[in-house]
Structure formats: structure tokens, C-alpha cells
Amino acid sequence: MTRYSSHIGRKCKGLRCLGHGPERSEVDIVWQFGSDECHKQWVTTSDKDHREGFSTCQLSVSPMGKALFSGTLDTRVPRDGHIKKAGYCNMKSIRARKSFKREAVLDWTLYTHLVLRVRGDGRSYMLNISTEGYFDLLWNDVYHYVLFTRGGPYWQVAKVSLEWGPT
């Protein structure tokens, strides 16, 4: 078992979506990071929060006014005899609510791509998009996308296809 501890850091400017129809190049900005109001729509967790490891993470505002997801990724396994693997940090959007605390879902059916503008540290990250359904075939499905970052001072644009399943 190897021990690995490192600093993770990623800056996000925003998440955009490209739509269907004659205006396929039209862009809707869903999250524009840089304000405290937008940061309140996200929550960060790590294995330490669930007593499953020693990793820590946080979402803060960088000096340039962008979102900064940073922390320490530690793959040391706690010696409790139950946990076999450790080391994760997570950034998740908070479920929006309607009146009377009804859950609201993000409807991505009108969009073809999710566009992310990120500046990474040279490592790869996993983007997970989960579905919420009511006991159907797609209930609790999770779609994965590996986000490779270049590292360095340059921003990069990643386009994630939202056209899943058979067409």
C-alpha cells in the first residue's frame, strides 16, 4: 500500500450549456462562479467528513474573483479494519427547491453539451452527472466524464456531450 498526499487545486469560471434547434450555438450560463451567491449553491465533501479517510477540500474565491476548489488528497487508509480504500474530494451542486420544499431538478434535455471553462493542475478529474427518477429504468443512473486538465496558467474549455443512450 502506497501513501500519497498532494495538494489539489482547480479554478472554474462557469458552467455553460449549448442548446438544440436552429440556435445550436446559443449558450446559457447556468453557474457563473465568482460571487458568494453562486458558491452557496455548491457543497464540498471529502472522505474525512464521513470518517473514511484524511482528505480535506474547500471551495473559495480566488484573488482574481473565480471559484477555487482546493484541498489535500490523502490516500492513507484509516486503521479501523473496515475501510479498504480512501482518498476523495467532492464538489456537488445543492438540489434546488421549489415552494413548500419540493425538489426541483435541472432539466438538461434541451441541451447538447455542457461546457466547462476550467484551469487545472495537470491531473484528471471525474465529472459525474446523476439522474433522478421515480422507479424507472434510469433511476439513480450516473454518467461519468473524465476531465483532463493541462495545468499551468492557461484556461481550457471542455465540452461534455449530453446526448446519452441510443439515438
Side-chain angles (χ1 to χ4, degrees), residues 13 22 83 85 105 107 117-118 126 137:
K13 185 170 182 184
I83 299 172
K85 294 182 179 179
V105 295
D107 186 11
R117 186 166 182 252
V118 298
M126 182 69 71
L137 290 175

Side-chain angles (χ1 to χ4, degrees), residues 107-119:
D107 186 11
W108 300 107
T109 57
L110 297 177
Y111 299 98
T112 59
H113 290 83
L114 177 67
V115 180
L116 293 95
R117 186 166 182 252
V118 298
R119 193 168 86 189

Side-chain angles (χ1 to χ4, degrees), residues 37-64:
E37 188 63 34
C38 185
H39 289 161
K40 291 178 184 175
Q41 297 174 11
W42 294 83
V43 64
T44 59
T45 59
S46 66
D47 54 5
K48 185 176 183 177
D49 298 332
H50 302 287
R51 296 184 182 170
E52 297 175 349
F54 305 102
S55 301
T56 60
C57 64
Q58 65 181 3
L59 180 64
S60 59
V61 179
S62 73
M64 298 299 291

Side-chain angles (χ1 to χ4, degrees), residues 7-164:
H7 180 76
I8 56 176
R10 178 175 56 175
K11 292 184 180 181
C12 286
K13 185 170 182 184
L15 298 177
R16 300 179 287 174
C17 298
L18 298 179
H20 277 299
E23 301 296 327
R24 282 184 78 90
S25 62
E26 183 177 332
V27 175
D28 293 335
I29 297 177
V30 180
W31 290 288
Q32 182 73 37
F33 292 94
S35 67
D36 288 333
E37 188 63 34
C38 185
H39 289 161
K40 291 178 184 175
Q41 297 174 11
W42 294 83
V43 64
T44 59
T45 59
S46 66
D47 54 5
K48 185 176 183 177
D49 298 332
H50 302 287
R51 296 184 182 170
E52 297 175 349
F54 305 102
S55 301
T56 60
C57 64
Q58 65 181 3
L59 180 64
S60 59
V61 179
S62 73
M64 298 299 291
K66 307 300 178 200
L68 178 62
F69 177 68
S70 61
T72 303
L73 183 64
D74 193 340
T75 59
R76 288 182 294 149
V77 178
R79 297 182 183 206
D80 63 356
H82 298 289
I83 299 172
K84 299 197 180 352
K85 294 182 179 179
Y88 75 88
C89 294
N90 180 36
M91 179 176 141
K92 182 178 179 179
S93 63
I94 295 175
R95 174 69 56 89
R97 301 276 181 179
K98 299 178 187 176
S99 60
F100 304 108
K101 294 190 177 183
R102 295 176 296 153
E103 291 186 354
V105 295
L106 296 171
D107 186 11
W108 300 107
T109 57
L110 297 177
Y111 299 98
T112 59
H113 290 83
L114 177 67
V115 180
L116 293 95
R117 186 166 182 252
V118 298
R119 193 168 86 189
D121 57 1
R123 287 195 249 169
S124 59
Y125 292 88
M126 182 69 71
L127 173 67
N128 298 322
I129 301 174
S130 61
T131 63
E132 289 290 330
Y134 296 100
F135 301 107
D136 60 2
L137 290 175
L138 299 177
W139 187 49
N140 287 332
D141 278 359
V142 178
Y143 298 94
H144 307 286
Y145 176 78
V146 180
L147 176 65
F148 297 100
T149 62
R150 285 190 293 241
Y154 302 107
W155 290 91
Q156 71 185 65
V157 176
K159 286 176 67 174
V160 179
S161 175
L162 295 179
E163 296 180 12
W164 303 307

